[in-house]
Amino acid sequence: MAIALAELVDPKQIALRLRARTQAEAIREIVDLLVAADKIDNAERFLEQLQKRELTNSTYAADGVAFPHARTKLVDEIVIGIGRSETGIQTGRSRARATRGR
């Protein structure tokens, strides 16, 4: 069963100007979008599961892109929230890379 990305993305679940300065703040901001769009009910448990997953294995891809995600029984379907920061957000991995480059 293939799912088109366009079917999962709703403009209410997109923040093109995140206010967040940290990865945790960015994830919180995106989760808040999902709560406001009635995609998740228990934001705190959802955040805990995202953070646990991030501690286990960073979801930082490259070039300032990360895909925080988790498998959870807190949702009945795949949900997506998208956030973009104009100033950038340091992740554990991107911070380590910046330090090595000095």
Side-chain angles (χ1 to χ4, degrees):
M1 172 179 93
I3 300 173
L5 184 59
E7 294 175 27
L8 300 174
V9 178
D10 180 322
K12 293 181 279 186
Q13 296 163 221
I14 300 172
L16 295 178
R17 292 192 174 105
L18 290 174
R19 295 178 311 277
R21 297 288 180 234
T22 68
Q23 184 178 15
E25 290 172 351
I27 292 172
R28 163 61 87 169
E29 208 170 322
I30 294 167
V31 167
D32 288 346
L33 290 175
L34 297 174
V35 170
D38 291 324
K39 295 296 183 178
I40 58 172
D41 295 323
N42 193 330
E44 294 310 313
R45 285 196 55 216
F46 192 76
L47 275 168
E48 286 173 18
Q49 291 181 8
L50 283 171
Q51 291 166 343
K52 182 179 178 182
R53 167 63 170 86
E54 196 64 31
L55 288 172
T56 303
N57 190 9
S58 174
T59 59
Y60 178 77
D63 299 323
V65 177
F67 298 97
H69 64 282
R71 288 187 186 262
T72 178
K73 294 184 183 210
L74 295 172
V75 294
D76 296 325
E77 61 188 11
I78 295 172
V79 297
I80 294 177
I82 299 171
R84 177 183 172 271
S85 169
E86 291 182 1
T87 59
I89 296 170
Q90 288 279 319
T91 67
R93 183 171 280 176
S94 63
R95 188 171 28 256
R97 180 201 241 154
T99 303
R100 277 195 310 262
R102 291 184 183 164

